[in-house]
Amino acid sequence: MAVPTSTRPQPNRPPAVARPATSPPPRPATWALKAVMAVTGSVLVVFAVVHLVGNLKIFLGPEQLDGYAHWLHEDLLAPLVPHGWFIWIFRVVMLAALVAHVGAGVVLRRRARAARGPHRRQGLRGLRSFQARSMLVTGTVLLLFVVFHVLDITTGTQPAATDEFVAGQAYANIVSSFQRPAVAAFYILAIGTLTLHLAHGLWSVVNDLGATGRRLRATGAAVAGIVGLLILVGNLVIPIAVLTGVVA
């Protein structure tokens, strides 16, 4: 005779344990924030290189630099866009990239601290480790410098700018600004900070965009170092040339 199902002996099973409720993944996703950092950082690096090339025209004299500044502000992409529109489109794009870059960086930093908890990682040494740990500090210094530099050279807002500021005279404005030793020293400090931030940022771009090959990662590190060094040297020669009277 078949045994009723309800009376069959049950095998020994461990009591069910309630699984802890899992929190939903953070939004936006960490990978998306890293991608934003990589793309906007690359845009800002391209701007730094183009900006340097334009500024080096100071060694060609006031006519060359002032003519370049006028073309950049008034005639670039004209008549594709009305005269004077490009510079404002460019400023909006750069401001959006800067805000997105800073915002993503702050969120990632908070998540990293929350994940690490009260325990600090041990055994991190070397220049790359220092660059990684100081990215928020160097980024803050650069942000303050950008604000000061715009008020000094672009808008002529005092007390950042000199009394001799004249709109449209890029050569004279740069020279009069860097003839102030404190401003030149701040600029040199900011360029050194930019080099540290940029070199590590470019190396991080290679990783954040999914590069895994050893050769590709080594190439990315080399490119980051070379670009950082070129930007460092190219930007340092300008205030030094003004302070020594080579450019006057």
Side-chain angles (χ1 to χ4, degrees):
M1 175 182 287
V3 179
T5 304
S6 58
T7 61
R8 288 180 179 176
Q10 298 295 325
N12 294 329
R13 295 181 179 178
V17 178
R19 295 182 179 179
T22 58
S23 58
R27 291 289 183 269
T30 297
W31 68 264
L33 292 173
K34 289 186 176 182
V36 169
M37 289 282 290
V39 173
T40 56
S42 300
V43 170
L44 295 172
V45 169
V46 171
F47 164 73
V49 173
V50 174
H51 186 62
L52 171 62
V53 173
N55 284 345
L56 289 177
K57 290 182 178 292
I58 195 171
F59 293 102
L60 301 178
E63 292 185 1
Q64 289 289 331
L65 183 60
D66 291 348
Y68 166 75
H70 177 81
W71 170 78
L72 184 65
H73 284 74
E74 300 294 335
D75 297 334
L76 184 56
L77 293 187
L80 182 62
V81 297
H83 289 273
W85 278 36
F86 168 79
I87 192 63
W88 289 105
I89 297 173
F90 172 78
R91 287 169 176 169
V92 169
V93 171
M94 293 305 301
L95 180 60
L98 182 62
V99 171
H101 192 77
V102 172
V106 170
V107 174
L108 287 173
R109 181 65 175 240
R110 289 179 177 176
R111 289 183 184 177
R113 284 187 174 181
R116 185 179 67 230
H119 306 289
R120 187 171 183 176
R121 293 181 63 184
Q122 302 295 326
L124 296 177
R125 297 183 179 87
L127 177 60
R128 185 167 295 170
S129 173
F130 172 77
Q131 289 174 312
R133 288 184 283 106
S134 61
M135 286 296 280
L136 186 60
V137 175
T138 56
T140 302
V141 173
L142 290 175
L143 185 60
L144 294 174
F145 169 73
V146 168
V147 173
F148 176 84
H149 195 58
V150 169
L151 295 176
D152 179 21
I153 302 297
T154 304
T155 64
T157 304
Q158 294 187 357
T162 65
D163 296 333
E164 293 82 15
F165 178 87
V166 178
Q169 296 187 7
Y171 183 96
N173 293 336
I174 292 176
V175 170
S176 61
S177 178
F178 287 157
Q179 284 177 340
R180 300 173 293 175
V183 173
F186 180 43
Y187 184 85
I188 292 173
L189 172 65
I191 294 306
T193 303
L194 172 64
T195 302
L196 290 174
H197 192 89
L198 182 148
H200 182 75
L202 281 178
W203 180 82
S204 299
V205 166
V206 178
N207 297 273
D208 292 341
L209 294 183
T212 56
R214 179 178 299 179
R215 181 175 300 178
L216 183 58
R217 290 164 65 93
T219 302
V223 170
I226 293 173
V227 173
L229 182 62
L230 291 176
I231 289 180
L232 173 66
V233 175
N235 280 288
L236 287 185
V237 296
I238 298 175
I240 293 175
V242 173
L243 288 174
T244 57
V246 176
V247 174

